[in-house]
Each structure stands twice: as C-alpha cells, then as structure tokens.
C-alpha cells in the first residue's frame, strides 16, 4: 500500500500546483485512448432473495454420450455464480438431456490444384481429397426458476430418447427434488441435431477413407466432447444470464492528453499511470471503498481541469471533454451512478462530442435502476 499512498500524495501536490502553473492557452490538444482494467459482477435478469439462492442440476445422457463424457463431469461443469448447488428443493433448477450420437454417412470431396509455367501452360495437376462424416445428435436444456412476469406452475418430464422402458421400474416414483417442480420455465434450448467431421486433405481418396476408418472411435469421442462442452457453455450462459452474478473483466479507456508540448502532458501521463495501477486492484468480489479513496487525488485533478480550462475555444472544450468523460467513466465503474450522471450531463453541456454524454447518462441511469432492483449499492461484493 506504500506505493498507492505515495501516488496519492504526489497527485494531491500536482492538483494543488494547477493553481500556479501556466495555462496553455492556444496549445494544441490531442487526446488518445489509454486503457485500464475493470472488474465487476454482471447483474442477472431476475432477482432472488440472497437466502434463497440455491440451484439443482439433473443430467441425463444416452449411452453413446455417457460413455465418452460422464454425467458426473457434466453435472460439475454446470455452474450458477452466486448460488449454492443443492440436491434438495433448489430455487432454480436445470435439466439437461443428451440423445445418442449416431454415424449417418460419409462424403468424399475433392479439389484440384494446377501448376502453370510462365506461358500459362498447365505443367501438373494435384487433386486433394477430404472425407466428411455426418453424425446425428440431439438434446435439450430447460431452466426453471422465479420469474417476475410469470406465475409458478407445474411441469412434465420428458423421457430420454433411445432409453428402453424397464418393466420393473415403471411403477417406481422417481425423486425430482433436484429441480423445482413449482417454478416456471425461464429458458430452454435445443442442442444441434447434426455434427460433422472433416479429415485433413490427402492426395489419395483411399488414404482419406483409410484414415477415417482407422480413427473412427477417437474421432467420435472427440466430437462428442466438443459437442457437450459447447452445450454446457450454452446452458451456463443462459442460466447465469437469468440468475447469476458473474465476475466480468474488461478493458476500458480514458481520454488522455497526448500532446507532448502541452504544459499538462506530464501530469496527465502520471494520472493515467496511477489509474492503471490502482484499477488493477479492483476485484468483482471485493468492495471498492478503498479503491475509491485511493482514486480521489486523480478524480480531484480531473475536476480541477474543468475550471482551469474554462474558455469557449475548441482546444479548451476538448480538455474539458476529457475531464468530464474520464470522471463519468470512473464513477460508473466505481458504482456511483448519480455522480456519473452529473458528469455525463456536463459532457453534454460542454458540447464537444455530446453523444458520449448521452451514452453514459443512459448507462448510469440503467445501472442505478439495476442496483435498486437487486437491492445493492455496488456490483462489487463477495459471492
């Protein structure tokens, strides 16, 4: 923390010096994007009370899929961020079913490459062969959970395709506690009904066919693994979009002076370096109070620029634009939407690219509503 303390003292001194430094009237102002890292939790569509955030998963696989990709592994990879996985009476339930993967057909494709001399005459031809195999597949996922716009309701289960009825089990009652029978359907989707595989190119059709025949088993296993992994990604995306608090990392930018002859140049470079270093400490699952405090000298510096460069000419409006923009963006990612809106409105009034002001005013308004809907003060919290 010594580094950040020193940085804050240095930036505070630099801010104070603004009162005494020479304002660069008429100086050319070139702005450039300087990037920094941010982390936060994405907020889901539906709010669930914290003490009710549990989810259950049921996975059913037909024989060919289960032998290549065990059900237990699929179960473990389905994850809802911010929720506890449970086997009994979950608030959110996920059902995933995979049908058998069956070989259907092969097709040989070819392309011919001609080599020509300087006179344009064909000197040789080479034909390349690729064998493409097609497999049938299928599956479905369903996500059940609270919906603000839908009442809870009962649902029916669908049997796995290709599953043979067992005469001794037909009268057995199967527990469905791992998925909430009373919750409405939030989302569902079908997995692709077809998978294809193409070999590398061979100069002989016989070699292409032989390669496929000798590697059929490993090819099918590889295809099933990719197919299931892609399906899990789809399920997790939909599941967390509806209910999850997913940690997000992204790169954002501030507009920083890049005119080396401008008297503000060195201070601006120090400011963005401080922002980069400090924002690296941001974590989606940790409060931002300390980070906000450490950023105050930088924020004060940008605030001071708005009055230091108060003229009506384009160059000074451009300097104010960067100050308003940078403050709006920093307040937005520090989860202070009211202050972000204030800076965004200043950006609009400054009348240098006011569209950015409108954009961040809308983003901050949306953030304010989302935080209220989720009964949160910040998108940064332990899960």
């Amino acid at each position: 923390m010594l580094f950040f303390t020193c940085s804050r003292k240095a930036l505070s001194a630099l801010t104070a010096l603004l009162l005494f430094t020479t304002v660069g009237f008429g100086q050319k102002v070139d702005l450039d994007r300087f990037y920094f890292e941010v982390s936060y939790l994405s907020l889901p569509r539906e709010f669930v009370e914290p003490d009710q955030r549990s989810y259950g998963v049921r996975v059913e696989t037909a024989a060919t899929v289960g032998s290549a990709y065990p059900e237990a592994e699929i179960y473990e990879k389905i994850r809802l961020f911010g929720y506890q996985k449970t086997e009994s009476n979950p608030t959110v339930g996920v059902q995933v079913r995979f049908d058998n993967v069956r070989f259907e057909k092969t097709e040989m494709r070819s392309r011919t490459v001609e080599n020509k001399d300087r006179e344009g005459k064909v000197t040789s031809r080479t034909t390349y062969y690729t064998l493409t195999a097609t497999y049938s597949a299928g599956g479905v996922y369903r996500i059940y959970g609270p919906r603000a716009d839908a009442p809870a309701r009962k649902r029916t289960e669908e049997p796995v395709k290709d599953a043979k009825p067992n005469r001794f089990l037909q009268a057995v009652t199967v527990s469905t506690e791992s998925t909430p029978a009373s919750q409405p359907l939030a989302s569902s989707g079908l997995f692709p009904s077809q998978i294809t595989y193409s070999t590398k190119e061979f100069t002989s059709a016989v070699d292409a066919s032989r390669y496929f025949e000798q590697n059929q088993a490993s090819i099918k296993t590889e295809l099933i693994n990719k197919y299931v992994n892609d399906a899990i990604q789809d399920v997790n995306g939909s599941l967390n979009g509806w209910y999850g608090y997913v940690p997000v990392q992204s790169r954002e930018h501030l507009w920083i002076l890049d005119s080396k002859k401008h008297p503000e140049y060195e201070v601006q470079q120090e400011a963005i370096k401080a922002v980069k270093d400090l924002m690296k400490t941001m974590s989606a699952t940790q409060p931002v109070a300390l980070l906000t405090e450490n950023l105050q000298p930088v924020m004060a510096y940008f605030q001071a620029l708005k009055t230091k460069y108060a003229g009506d000419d384009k160059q000074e409006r451009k300097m104010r634009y960067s100050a308003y923009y940078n403050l709006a963006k920093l307040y937005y990612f520090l989860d202070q939407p009211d202050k972000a809106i204030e800076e965004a409105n200043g950006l609009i009034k400054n009348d240098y690219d006011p569209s950015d002001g409108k954009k961040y005013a809308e983003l901050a308004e949306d953030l304010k509503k989302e935080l209220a809907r989720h009964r949160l003060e910040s998108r940064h919290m332990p899960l």
Side-chain angles (χ1 to χ4, degrees), residues 5-18:
T5 303
C6 293
S7 296
R8 291 178 62 202
K9 289 180 179 178
L11 284 167
S12 296
L14 287 168
T15 302
L17 283 173
L18 282 170

Side-chain angles (χ1 to χ4, degrees), residues 188-307:
S188 65
L190 297 173
F191 303 140
S193 60
Q194 184 174 284
I195 311 173
T196 59
Y197 170 83
S198 295
T199 67
K200 64 181 181 180
E201 289 186 323
F202 292 86
T203 54
S204 163
V206 173
D207 289 342
S209 296
R210 182 184 297 116
Y211 176 85
F212 177 74
E213 290 170 3
Q214 293 176 347
N215 295 279
Q216 279 190 75
S218 61
I219 288 170
K220 188 174 183 180
T221 299
E222 179 184 334
L223 288 174
I224 290 174
N225 272 270
K226 184 180 184 306
Y227 183 82
V228 173
N229 281 331
D230 290 346
I232 291 172
Q233 185 175 348
D234 289 344
V235 172
N236 281 336
S238 182
L239 176 62
N240 284 282
W242 278 98
Y243 299 105
Y245 295 83
V246 183
V248 174
Q249 286 187 312
S250 66
R251 293 179 75 227
E252 296 293 331
H253 74 271
L254 299 183
W255 284 110
I256 298 297
L257 186 69
D258 199 28
S259 306
K260 293 185 178 180
K261 294 182 180 181
H262 197 285
E264 213 69 52
Y265 175 77
E266 289 187 8
V267 189
Q268 292 257 311
Q269 296 302 308
E270 286 191 41
I272 189 59
K273 185 180 186 305
V275 170
K276 285 182 178 181
D277 290 341
L278 288 165
M279 294 299 276
K280 286 178 182 177
T281 69
M282 177 181 274
S283 170
T285 57
Q286 295 294 328
V288 291
L290 181 59
L291 173 60
T292 302
E293 180 183 346
N294 286 331
L295 280 168
Q296 286 312 302
V298 182
M299 310 286 270
Y301 167 69
F302 288 134
Q303 288 286 0
L305 289 177
K306 295 188 291 187
T307 53

